[in-house]
């Protein structure tokens, strides 16, 4: 009897989609990690170093104490009745927990909330957005989600009717976008970031790609911008942002602004400006441009990936469209409450004068300073190697070096039925235990090769990573030199 | 070109088709009235903690400690946390490198999945493979993932019970598939009617539909019926003969209020049957921390277990799970705790067992109170709530009521429920949100309001209903 659910009769969109961040190389790394446990000494390295995924706390980054204090008290509100907690929790974490619980009907953190998220928490987030941007934000525009990713899927679901609906996506991109577009049966319309100008975005190029797509009968519905960029790390110049907004307005595109790395900026000459702020600065209101802005608790200095907290702020959509967004959100009932609480905390952290402010600030500054140092060390190390060039990581959590692979290496890869950068990444893993993601997982100009490496390994491990990498790379290039 | 913005007309048609009445028209109206100051009793969704049910103490202690591990270093932690909660927090933190703040394995923390497998083994008497157990942000996400994997196009049909929990109809609409209804038999306490089911399949096939899967909800939602072992055997044989994947929604397995038909899992029955059927019928089983006596809806903790699914299919499902990176870690720990609760002899056992029993006993009593209360009302007939969290009374509306409803542009049960809401503040979901036989109307309410509030709620309902029936009675027929 033929199995009813077999690869032959699965949804072809599921079969088509790919997600390299946890793909083949990572699965292989997990197998090697098992092997290290069962047969110590059987490999030329002692440990697997996961540099494939932006998962800071898995590599030793500590959570922000104040946030965890508040969350623990909200998880077990009975604690608030005990005097002993005064010696265990800061006074402001206690009062914040009480304030948050008071905004939850029945103080029940185990109950499904409103499908957009708890109103009081959305008020807090809206106030945080207003304070960040200088332009008002509305709690009714906010949808709290289990991480930012479900919000991306929701919009793709809404926008993509068939394979002729296209979404403009930067190349290289975070492969959630390509996967989501494939899952929803749409067309990815690439626009290439310019590696030689620090991964800059040229509006004229985007326009060309848009027109090219249209000439092929693609109805381009939206433009995705990732700022700061992933995997590329660039922070958009304000001028660029104005161009993008005007472009979207003129072309009737929905602007999907992935801003999850807004608090990861490592250079003094760039600042984060939200697209919401840019849109409002241009005098555009609700009637002018549909914009979805994404934020997450997974990145920044908080790095709380496992909590699955995030939100999207939707502006510029008509009431009937908003109703549809709400309706789809309601089928899943609501996002996890603890994640909702955390989203409100990151948008309203301790302020000067609060008891926890000094320690909070020290933790935050320490993490950002360390990320800045690690970004620089790794960037410099990659640039010192022959055959590797690496743009600066102005923000986010990644480096995306370019490999100049010798022709013999490219042929060896072909013979092994692998993309050249995947071939390189696999050899890197097998020689050193270092796990990176091949550039082909993100998209790149055809004929160029890259890999994405996070800046997240612990600072004390960075020198060893650099030296192991150098040994491998030089040996690899020597093996395949023309 | 030059479209301005995003118009309703330009949206994905499948999105527009989706309906989810649980948070639809009645709920939105109730929320409006609440804002205006009216006291509303929300019985539209199975959300126990929202109606006063308290969380179990032990899991909250453990998760709070995991959330703030600095507490574990404090010498005074033993003053406010029992030793077994402290030990269990350490147990989960050891399983989750990086703690609650790191993405876990996309399938969920391996150690928690082992606990799930162990629970299943103890419950059913058959081993379970943790590699085939995936944790999800609530069971709903797992249901969505599976239906999305199965449905290729509009000609793929999914057998769904009527009445059903409208996640299924919503997901099928969203993914562009076909819902193939099989009617439960209200006269037989919402029992399974395999004859009707076979007819549905035949009709669907004659319309060019390839029926791919069958959904069972056991115990049922909204209907509460508990399937017998014989029922499950029938269903599994049926799936075997008709080449269907069985999707077994078992999220209410802890909520059973009669002793004739205790919960028995589809997987257990499948393996009991032995032979080729036990190796070939494909089964996906769903569970959650949202229901039972835990009621931890807000945590979004769930899992699905795959049985007899080919390895390549499992790989594809893993791939899709990996795009979402990982389910939320606190929710995973709640699941671990539910699968592996305090045992006799543990410090926290007595309190845990007492809290649990108290909730279950009360649910059992409330199931009876509500059933009896509805049956005492004019023109209302209500099957006993054998399980789950709902009551689904049939409201026999007089013709004049139906006519008035339709001229107001409303389905009769929606009309009735809106009137009920406005008169009493009781917020229910009309039966049309779940599916029902043509011309037969119901509403769904939960059995979750606090026990002490039940008599007042039922009497308020009876007062409204009996006067509504009086008002719309067609005296010319008497």
């Amino acid at each position: 009897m033929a199995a009813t659910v077999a690869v032959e009769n699965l949804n072809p969109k599921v079969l088509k989609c790919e997600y390299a961040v946890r793909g083949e190389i990572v699965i292989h790394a997990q197998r090697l990690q098992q092997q290290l446990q069962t047969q110590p000494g059987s490999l030329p390295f002692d440990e697997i170093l996961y540099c494939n995924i932006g998962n800071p706390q898995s590599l030793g980054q500590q959570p922000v104490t104040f946030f965890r204090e508040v969350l623990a008290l909200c998880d077990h509100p009975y604690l608030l009745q005990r005097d002993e907690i005064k010696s265990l929790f800061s006074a402001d974490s206690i009062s914040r927990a009480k304030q948050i619980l008071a905004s939850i009907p029945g103080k029940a953190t185990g109950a499904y909330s409103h499908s957009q998220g708890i109103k009081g928490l959305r008020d807090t987030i809206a106030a945080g957005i207003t304070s960040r941007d200088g332009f008002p934000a509305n709690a009714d525009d906010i949808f709290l989600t289990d991480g930012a990713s479900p919000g991306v899927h929701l919009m793709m679901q809404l926008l993509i009717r068939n394979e002729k609906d296209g979404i403009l996506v930067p190349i290289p991109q975070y492969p959630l976008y390509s996967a989501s577009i494939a899952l929803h049966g749409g067309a990815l319309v690439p626009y290439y970031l310019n590696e030689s100008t620090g991964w800059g975005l040229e509006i004229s190029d985007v326009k060309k790609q848009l027109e090219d797509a249209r000439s092929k009968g693609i109805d381009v519905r939206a433009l995705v911008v990732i700022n700061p960029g992933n995997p590329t790390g660039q922070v958009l110049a304000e001028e660029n942002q104005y161009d993008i907004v005007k472009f979207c307005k003129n072309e009737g595109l929905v602007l999907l602004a992935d801003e999850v790395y807004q608090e990861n900026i490592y250079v003094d000459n760039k600042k984060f400006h939200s697209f919401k702020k840019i849109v409002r600065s241009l005098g555009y209101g609700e009637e002018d441009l549909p914009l979805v802005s994404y934020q997450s608790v997974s990145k920044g200095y908080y790095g709380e990936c496992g909590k699955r907290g995030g939100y999207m702020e939707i502006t510029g959509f008509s009431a009937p469209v908003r109703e549809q967004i709400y309706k789809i959100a309601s089928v899943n009932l609501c996002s996890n409450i603890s994640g909702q609480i955390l989203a409100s905390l990151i948008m309203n952290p301790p302020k000067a004068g609060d008891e926890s402010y000094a320690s909070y600030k020290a933790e935050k500054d320490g993490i950002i300073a360390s990320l800045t140092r690690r970004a620089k060390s790794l960037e410099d190390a990659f640039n010192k190697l022959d055959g590797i060039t690496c743009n600066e990581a102005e923000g986010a959590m990644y480096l995306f070096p370019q490999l100049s692979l010798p022709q013999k290496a490219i042929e060896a890869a072909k013979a092994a039925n692998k993309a050249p950068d995947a071939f390189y990444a696999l050899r890197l893993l097998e020689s050193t235990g270092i796990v990176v993601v091949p550039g082909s997982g993100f998209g790149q100009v055809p004929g160029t090769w890259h890999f994405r490496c996070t800046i997240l390994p612990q600072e004390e491990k960075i020198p060893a990573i650099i030296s192991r990498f150098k040994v491998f790379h030089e040996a690899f290039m020597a093996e395949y030199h023309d | 070109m030059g479209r301005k913005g995003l118009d309703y007309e330009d949206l994905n048609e499948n999105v527009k088709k989706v309906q989810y009445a649980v948070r639809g028209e009645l709920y939105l109206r109730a929320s409006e009235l609440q804002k205006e100051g009216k006291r509303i009793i929300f019985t539209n969704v199975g959300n126990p903690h929202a109606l006063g049910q308290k969380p179990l103490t032990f899991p909250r202690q453990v998760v709070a400690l995991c959330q703030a591990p600095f507490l574990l270093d404090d010498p005074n932690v033993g003053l406010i946390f029992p030793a077994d909660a402290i030990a269990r927090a350490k147990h989960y933190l050891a399983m989750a490198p990086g703690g609650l703040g790191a993405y876990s394995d996309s399938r969920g923390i391996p150690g928690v999945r082992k606990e799930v497998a162990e629970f299943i083994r103890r419950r059913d008497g058959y081993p379970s493979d943790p590699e085939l157990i995936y944790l999800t942000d609530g069971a709903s996400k797992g249901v969505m993932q599976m239906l999305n994997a199965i449905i290729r196009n509009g000609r793929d049909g999914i057998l769904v019970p009527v009445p059903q929990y409208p996640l299924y109809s919503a997901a099928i609409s969203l993914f562009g598939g076909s819902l193939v209804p099989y009617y439960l038999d209200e006269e037989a306490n919402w029992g399974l009617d395999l004859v009707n089911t076979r007819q549905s399949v035949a009709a669907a096939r004659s319309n060019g539909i390839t029926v791919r899967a069958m959904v069972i909800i056991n115990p049922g939602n909204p209907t509460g019926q508990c399937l017998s072992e014989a029922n499950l055997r029938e269903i599994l044989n049926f799936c075997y003969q008709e080449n269907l994947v069985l999707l077994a929604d078992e999220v209410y397995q802890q909520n059973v209020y009669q002793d004739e038909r205790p919960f028995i899992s589809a997987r257990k029955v499948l393996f009991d049957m032995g032979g080729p059927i036990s190796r070939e019928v494909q089964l996906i089983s769903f569970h959650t921390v949202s229901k039972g006596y835990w009621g931890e809806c807000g945590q979004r903790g769930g899992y699905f277990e795959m049985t007899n699914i080919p390895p390549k299919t499992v790989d594809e499902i893993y791939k899709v799970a990996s795009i979402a990176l990982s389910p939320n870690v606190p929710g995973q720990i709640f699941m671990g705790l539910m699968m592996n609760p305090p045992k006799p002899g543990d410090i926290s056992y007595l309190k845990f067992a007492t809290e649990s029993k108290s909730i279950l006993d009360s649910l059992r009593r409330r199931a009876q109170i509500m059933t009896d209360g509805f049956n005492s009302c004019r023109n209302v007939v209500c099957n006993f709530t054998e399980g789950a969290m709902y009551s689904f009374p049939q409201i026999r509306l007089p013709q004049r009521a139906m006519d008035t409803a339709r001229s107001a542009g409303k389905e009769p049960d929606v009309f009735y429920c809106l009137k009920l809401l406005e008169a009493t503040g009781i917020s229910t979901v009309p039966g049309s949100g779940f599916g029902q036989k043509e011309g037969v109307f119901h509403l769904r309410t939960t059995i979750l309001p606090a026990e002490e509030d039940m008599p007042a709620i039922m009497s308020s309902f009876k007062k409204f209903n009996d006067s509504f029936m009086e008002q719309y009675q067609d005296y010319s027929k008497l």
Side-chain angles (χ1 to χ4, degrees):
Chain A
M1 164 127 319
T4 182
V5 170
V7 162
E8 297 73 54
N9 53 28
L10 286 183
N11 179 356
K13 295 178 232 171
V14 164
L15 297 173
K16 186 172 163 215
C17 78
E18 288 177 319
Y19 185 71
V21 174
R22 276 197 159 170
E24 194 191 322
I25 297 261
V26 181
I27 292 172
H28 188 55
Q30 286 164 341
R31 267 184 247 125
L32 293 178
Q33 189 169 37
Q34 291 250 17
Q35 189 181 327
L36 281 175
Q37 282 174 343
T38 54
Q39 301 165 260
S42 62
L43 293 165
F45 48 85
D46 293 325
E47 60 174 329
I48 300 286
L49 288 155
Y50 288 100
C51 300
N52 59 303
I53 181 174
N55 195 12
Q57 293 190 29
S58 75
L59 293 166
Q61 181 174 307
Q62 293 302 300
V64 172
T65 306
F66 178 79
F67 297 156
R68 292 303 189 91
E69 287 179 298
V70 175
L71 289 171
L73 291 167
C74 290
D75 275 336
H76 190 37
Y78 162 78
L79 291 171
L80 292 166
Q81 298 168 32
R82 299 288 299 257
D83 277 335
E84 292 94 329
I85 64 164
K86 293 200 186 96
S87 65
L88 292 162
F89 292 85
S90 60
D92 51 350
S93 72
I94 293 170
S95 60
R96 184 75 77 100
K98 286 181 177 165
Q99 181 209 346
I100 287 170
L101 287 166
S103 73
I104 299 176
K107 301 192 183 174
T109 53
Y112 293 126
S113 71
H114 184 288
S115 293
Q116 284 178 241
I118 292 158
K119 174 68 168 42
L121 299 177
R122 287 185 280 127
D123 287 334
T124 302
I125 291 168
I129 294 170
T130 305
S131 148
R132 179 195 68 194
D133 293 346
F135 291 96
N138 196 324
D140 291 338
D141 293 342
I142 294 173
F143 284 75
L144 284 153
T145 49
D146 290 304
S149 300
V152 171
H153 286 302
L154 194 154
M155 289 311 297
M156 294 304 174
Q157 194 152 62
L158 202 76
L159 289 168
I160 297 172
R161 295 162 296 187
N162 53 54
E163 68 280 3
K164 293 234 162 294
D165 278 334
I167 311 286
L168 274 160
V169 172
I171 300 296
Q173 47 102 44
Y174 173 51
L176 165 68
Y177 293 97
S178 46
S180 189
I181 292 166
L183 273 172
H184 295 104
L188 189 153
V189 179
Y191 67 91
Y192 290 86
L193 301 175
N194 189 341
E195 188 160 12
S196 62
T197 62
W199 298 114
L201 186 159
E202 296 300 319
I203 269 295
S204 52
D205 282 348
V206 184
K207 192 168 164 66
K208 209 161 14 130
Q209 292 296 113
L210 169 67
E211 282 162 358
D212 185 59
R214 283 177 176 160
S215 73
K216 295 190 178 115
I218 303 288
D219 187 351
V220 183
R221 309 295 304 277
L223 172 72
V224 172
V225 183
I226 310 173
N227 184 44
N230 177 5
T232 46
Q234 85 288 9
V235 178
L236 290 170
E238 217 176 332
E239 278 315 301
N240 235 185
Q241 290 184 276
Y242 285 120
D243 291 340
I244 290 164
V245 168
K246 286 180 201 157
F247 176 74
C248 288
K249 176 159 160 42
N250 293 338
E251 300 293 345
L253 303 174
V254 178
L255 178 53
L256 303 175
D258 178 338
E259 300 178 327
V260 303
Y261 295 100
Q262 57 187 264
E263 304 222 53
N264 298 99
I265 312 267
Y266 311 127
V267 294
D268 296 322
N269 64 334
K270 288 281 182 71
K271 262 190 71 192
F272 171 74
H273 303 285
S274 79
F275 270 99
K276 170 91 176 310
K277 179 169 112 173
I278 300 291
V279 167
R280 293 286 179 266
S281 308
L282 280 169
Y284 294 159
E286 279 294 315
E287 303 296 307
D288 293 302
L289 178 67
L291 165 67
V292 182
S293 311
Y294 297 99
Q295 166 61 318
S296 169
V297 307
S298 301
K299 312 300 176 189
Y301 57 91
Y302 18 90
E304 295 274 22
C305 301
K307 298 300 179 60
R308 312 318 273 120
Y311 70 78
M312 56 183 195
E313 182 192 12
I314 65 167
T315 54
F317 293 90
S318 65
V321 174
R322 292 170 66 98
E323 273 167 32
Q324 295 300 310
I325 295 173
Y326 170 83
K327 183 179 72 176
I328 299 301
S330 77
V331 176
N332 193 52
L333 285 154
C334 73
S335 65
N336 85 80
I337 306 300
S338 185
Q340 292 187 31
I341 293 171
L342 184 52
S344 79
L345 290 170
I346 67 163
M347 295 306 288
N348 183 23
K351 310 243 178 326
D354 293 350
E355 178 187 318
S356 297
Y357 180 69
S359 58
Y360 152 81
K361 186 94 181 24
E363 285 173 347
K364 172 182 173 179
D365 290 348
I367 289 167
I368 297 292
S370 173
L371 286 166
T372 307
R373 286 191 299 268
R374 286 178 273 169
K376 207 68 194 130
S377 307
L378 285 166
E379 180 208 329
D380 288 346
F382 286 134
N383 275 315
K384 284 202 179 81
L385 296 169
D386 274 335
I388 299 190
T389 54
C390 186
N391 279 340
E392 181 176 31
E394 296 183 332
M397 287 179 176
Y398 314 97
L399 288 163
F400 199 63
Q402 187 181 153
L403 293 162
S404 300
L405 292 171
Q407 191 55 35
K408 275 170 72 180
I410 294 175
E411 279 156 20
K414 206 166 174 180
N417 204 18
K418 292 218 173 304
D421 47 17
F423 180 75
Y424 179 95
L426 187 57
R427 289 285 300 273
L428 171 69
L429 167 61
E430 287 172 345
S431 314
T432 66
I434 298 170
V435 190
V436 298
V437 188
S440 34
F442 302 88
Q444 53 206 344
V445 168
T448 66
W449 313 109
H450 302 78
F451 62 88
R452 188 187 80 168
C453 179
T454 71
I455 60 172
L456 300 174
Q458 280 161 324
E459 226 166 328
E460 51 269 25
K461 291 209 160 121
I462 299 279
I465 291 175
I466 289 173
S467 69
R468 257 199 264 167
F469 190 97
K470 178 172 148 76
V471 166
F472 159 77
H473 178 78
E474 287 172 351
F476 182 94
M477 296 304 255
E479 184 183 342
Y480 292 105
H481 82 97
D482 296 313
Chain B
M1 259 302 133
R3 155 205 297 128
K4 193 167 132 68
L6 177 67
D7 292 330
Y8 177 80
E9 289 67 48
D10 303 327
L11 296 182
N12 179 356
E13 284 303 317
N14 289 344
V15 164
K16 292 187 224 172
K17 282 191 197 134
V18 167
Q19 289 180 312
Y20 185 70
V22 172
R23 279 205 163 165
E25 184 183 354
L26 254 298
Y27 169 72
L28 292 169
R29 180 76 186 122
S31 304
E32 262 169 48
L33 289 169
Q34 186 181 47
K35 277 199 197 118
E36 290 166 22
K38 190 175 172 70
R39 183 175 166 251
I40 303 293
I41 303 149
F42 285 99
T43 70
N44 59 304
V45 65
N47 199 11
H49 294 200
L51 290 158
Q53 182 176 310
K54 296 272 166 275
L56 300 169
T57 306
F58 185 74
R60 293 306 187 97
Q61 291 171 326
V62 174
V63 175
L65 286 166
C66 291
Q67 194 77 262
F70 63 80
L71 292 170
L72 293 167
D73 297 329
D74 194 295
N76 291 327
V77 66
L79 293 174
I80 49 176
F81 291 93
D84 54 354
I86 292 168
R88 192 72 86 92
K90 290 179 178 168
H91 158 88
Y92 287 115
L93 287 171
M95 275 186 198
L100 265 54
Y103 294 127
S104 71
D105 184 308
S106 298
R107 299 162 291 189
I109 297 166
V112 173
R113 286 152 57 216
K114 281 204 188 77
E115 288 180 320
V116 175
E118 249 306 289
F119 162 84
I120 293 169
R121 191 194 59 75
R122 280 193 315 269
R123 182 194 66 192
D124 294 346
Y126 293 102
S128 171
D129 183 358
E131 295 296 288
L132 297 173
I133 293 167
Y134 287 17
L135 306 181
T136 52
D137 285 311
S140 298
K141 288 255 166 82
V143 169
M144 293 276 220
Q145 273 180 43
M146 292 321 294
L147 287 172
N148 188 39
I150 293 169
I151 296 171
R152 294 166 297 187
N153 53 52
R155 289 182 308 284
D156 276 339
I158 311 287
L159 264 169
V160 173
V162 179
Q164 48 103 40
Y165 173 52
L167 164 68
Y168 294 97
S169 46
I172 292 165
S173 289
L174 208 49
F175 302 134
S178 269
L179 191 151
V180 180
Y182 68 93
Y183 286 82
L184 301 176
D185 186 355
E186 188 163 11
E187 318 291 295
N189 217 46
W190 296 115
L192 179 72
D193 177 357
L194 219 50
V195 171
N196 173 273
T197 310
R198 281 184 209 284
Q199 284 168 345
S200 285
V201 172
R205 284 176 177 158
S206 69
N207 283 332
I209 304 288
T210 308
V211 186
R212 303 286 309 281
M214 178 175 188
V215 174
I216 59 170
I217 310 173
N218 180 40
N221 176 5
T223 46
Q225 85 289 5
C226 298
L227 292 169
S228 66
E229 188 177 343
N231 278 159
L232 286 163
R233 281 178 179 254
E234 274 186 296
I235 289 164
L236 287 160
N237 270 318
F238 179 70
C239 288
Y240 181 63
Q241 287 151 14
E242 303 296 337
N243 204 21
L244 307 172
V245 184
L246 182 59
L247 304 177
D249 179 338
E250 299 175 330
V251 302
Y252 294 101
Q253 59 186 270
Q254 287 173 352
N255 301 100
V256 176
Y257 311 127
Q258 41 70 36
D259 302 315
E260 292 76 38
R261 274 176 307 286
F263 173 75
I264 177 166
S265 79
R267 191 168 188 271
K268 177 182 196 313
V269 176
L270 180 64
F271 288 153
D272 284 347
M273 289 166 87
I277 193 178
S278 69
R279 288 186 298 275
E280 290 179 33
V281 169
Q282 297 184 318
L283 168 65
I284 320 279
S285 312
F286 300 93
H287 200 9
T288 181
V289 305
S290 300
K291 311 299 177 190
Y293 50 90
W294 284 58
E296 290 278 12
C297 302
Q299 309 302 342
R300 316 314 274 124
Y303 76 74
F304 61 87
E305 182 194 19
M306 296 177 276
T307 302
N308 296 332
I309 305 293
K312 283 206 183 121
T313 304
V314 174
D315 288 343
E316 291 297 325
I317 290 164
Y318 185 7
K319 180 181 75 176
V320 173
S322 75
I323 300 169
L325 287 156
S326 95
N328 88 77
V329 177
Q332 295 187 44
I333 294 175
F334 271 96
M335 180 56 80
L337 288 161
M338 189 173 88
M339 299 285 97
N340 183 16
K343 296 182 189 28
D346 291 353
I347 296 165
S348 298
Y349 175 71
L350 206 54
K351 183 168 195 172
F352 180 84
T354 308
E355 286 174 346
S356 307
K357 185 172 190 304
S358 159
I359 291 167
L360 273 174
D361 288 350
S362 173
L363 284 166
R364 192 179 264 239
R365 288 190 298 269
R366 283 179 277 170
Q368 195 65 61
I369 292 170
M370 252 194 168
T371 307
D372 293 346
F374 283 129
N375 279 318
S376 79
C377 295
R378 193 162 150 193
N379 292 346
V380 178
V381 171
C382 189
N383 280 334
F384 174 61
T385 295
E386 298 186 348
M389 284 180 177
Y390 311 96
S391 190
F392 198 64
Q394 186 187 138
I395 317 288
R396 294 178 173 165
L397 294 167
Q399 190 58 48
R400 273 186 54 221
M402 294 196 273
D403 295 340
T404 310
R406 292 201 169 105
S407 45
K410 297 244 173 272
E411 278 302 293
D413 50 5
V414 175
F415 178 77
Y416 176 92
C417 290
L418 282 168
K419 291 266 175 237
L420 168 68
L421 169 65
E422 275 153 21
T424 66
I426 300 170
S427 167
T428 58
V429 187
S432 42
F434 303 88
Q436 51 204 352
K437 284 209 171 101
E438 185 76 39
V440 184
F441 302 104
H442 305 81
L443 58 82
R444 188 188 81 165
T445 176
T446 67
I447 60 169
L448 300 173
E451 213 170 327
E452 57 265 26
D453 295 337
M454 279 260 165
I457 290 172
M458 294 316 292
S459 99
S460 171
F461 177 89
K462 185 172 162 67
K463 182 157 172 254
F464 159 79
N465 176 78
D466 291 0
S467 97
F468 179 97
M469 294 303 172
E470 179 65 39
Q471 181 187 352
Y472 289 99
Q473 187 62 52
D474 185 1
Y475 285 100
S476 71
K477 292 230 167 79
L478 288 178

